[in-house]
Amino acid sequence: VKSSPPSLLKQWYQRRVRGSEQDRPGHGVLINGDGEVEDTISLTYYRYNAKAAKDWGKGKLEDMAKLKDFLLENRPHVIALNCSGRAMIYMREIQDIVTALEQQHQIKPIAIELVDPTVAMIYKESSRAQSEFPSYCAEQRVAVSIARRLRDPLTELAQLCN
């Protein structure tokens, strides 16, 4: 029995991992000072490369416009991003949107912070998360926890222990 060359296996694995990340929409939440969700956003094509395919590229551009509108409407003080996966690429893309809005004097500067998702991954499956947000998917619950962790890391961590 012939085995696959390592390079083929590696390429297949990389495509599969990238594909699985892209198949999930990106989710964001806006929380207030008490950690309560005030607004949400779901970006179906945001994780796709805009140059990858015409349909995906068009969807990604629409998602970027949707994100721009969300930022203009809600005017957050900071954006917290899950620091796993392609976070640096997303951070640059979001920074481009924020910078353009700042230069057009439509918003004040918004900080963008990378947040370790470890606590959020535990939170998303917790009974607390499921009772607080029964209609949210796991990715939305992760977004809530990441936002809360940036706001008050100790409280977010401590509430997992209760």
Side-chain angles (χ1 to χ4, degrees):
V1 177
K2 276 183 135 178
S3 62
S4 300
S7 62
L8 284 177
L9 181 60
K10 183 178 177 186
Q11 289 172 355
W12 175 81
Y13 178 74
Q14 288 175 342
R15 274 195 301 266
R16 183 168 178 227
V17 169
R18 270 183 294 209
S20 66
E21 181 177 321
Q22 289 179 346
D23 290 343
R24 295 186 318 259
H27 294 282
V29 296
L30 178 76
I31 64 168
N32 63 21
D34 296 323
E36 297 170 358
V37 176
E38 292 191 345
D39 201 357
T40 65
I41 185 171
S42 182
L43 304 169
T44 305
Y45 294 97
Y46 189 77
R47 296 181 190 207
Y48 285 88
N49 180 340
K51 299 174 186 169
K54 289 181 183 176
D55 293 340
W56 296 342
K58 181 181 176 195
K60 179 158 183 157
L61 292 175
E62 289 171 359
D63 275 357
M64 291 176 82
K66 187 176 175 182
L67 178 59
K68 179 181 173 184
D69 292 342
F70 185 83
L71 295 174
L72 283 169
E73 180 181 330
N74 293 296
R75 301 186 186 281
H77 299 279
V78 64
I79 297 170
L81 290 177
N82 177 337
C83 72
S84 64
R86 299 175 45 166
M88 294 307 294
I89 293 169
Y90 304 141
M91 187 174 184
R92 279 192 299 270
E93 292 172 345
I94 293 171
Q95 185 62 58
D96 289 345
I97 293 170
V98 169
T99 300
L101 292 173
E102 288 171 9
Q103 289 173 349
Q104 297 165 4
H105 304 289
Q106 294 183 341
I107 60 171
K108 292 180 180 178
I110 300 173
I112 301 174
E113 301 289 336
L114 294 175
V115 178
D116 184 308
T118 306
V119 171
M121 295 302 177
I122 296 167
Y123 170 81
K124 77 176 179 181
E125 300 299 333
S126 71
S127 57
R128 176 178 165 238
Q130 292 176 11
S131 66
E132 256 187 305
F133 303 104
S135 64
Y136 283 22
C137 71
E139 295 287 327
Q140 287 171 307
R141 291 191 297 264
V142 166
V144 170
S145 182
I146 285 174
R148 287 177 173 172
R149 182 156 181 227
L150 184 65
R151 184 186 127 275
D152 187 352
L154 187 56
T155 299
E156 186 62 13
L157 185 59
Q159 287 183 351
L160 281 179
C161 299
N162 288 340

